[in-house]
């Protein structure tokens, strides 16, 4: 694991207490987006169907949900249960 990046105070303040849903979170780019959001101080829900990524790529600090972005019932449940601020 890499050390957290340093962010300007206004960015950290804007992110504090927010929750992000990152789709494709187990892929190369998605896992880096998850890490970036966590480093900013956000809570992260990481969604991936593992069709092209690996669970091991998702930082442990994120809540991992294995599922498909096309599953409307899953998305409805995620948004109501986790109170997502950003996607």
């Amino acid at each position: 694991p890499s050390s957290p990046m340093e962010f300007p105070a206004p960015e950290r303040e804007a992110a504090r207490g927010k929750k992000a849903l990152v789709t494709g979170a187990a892929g190369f780019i998605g896992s880096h987006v998850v890490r970036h959001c966590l480093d900013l101080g956000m809570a992260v829900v990481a969604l991936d169907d593992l069709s092209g990524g690996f669970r091991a790529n998702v930082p442990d600090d994120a809540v991992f949900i294995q599922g498909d972005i096309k599953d409307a019932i899953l998305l409805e449940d995620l948004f109501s249960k986790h109170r997502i601020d950003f996607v």
Side-chain angles (χ1 to χ4, degrees):
S2 61
S3 59
M5 292 179 62
E6 291 296 320
F7 298 98
E11 288 184 39
R12 290 192 317 271
E13 184 61 34
R16 184 179 301 132
K18 304 292 187 197
K19 189 172 287 188
L21 171 63
V22 178
T23 62
F28 180 78
I29 294 170
S31 63
H32 283 81
V33 172
V34 170
R35 172 56 45 211
H36 185 88
C37 291
L38 290 168
D39 289 349
L40 272 169
M42 292 181 187
V44 176
V45 176
L47 176 66
D48 201 294
D49 65 2
L50 300 179
S51 63
F54 302 95
R55 171 63 181 94
N57 290 343
V58 180
D60 291 334
D61 298 345
V63 173
F64 178 71
I65 306 291
Q66 184 172 346
D68 193 320
I69 189 71
K70 298 182 303 273
D71 182 339
I73 294 170
L74 171 63
L75 288 181
E76 184 176 334
D77 183 55
L78 284 176
F79 275 88
S80 94
K81 183 177 183 180
H82 294 280
R83 303 183 54 100
I84 305 294
D85 297 298
F86 302 107
V87 178

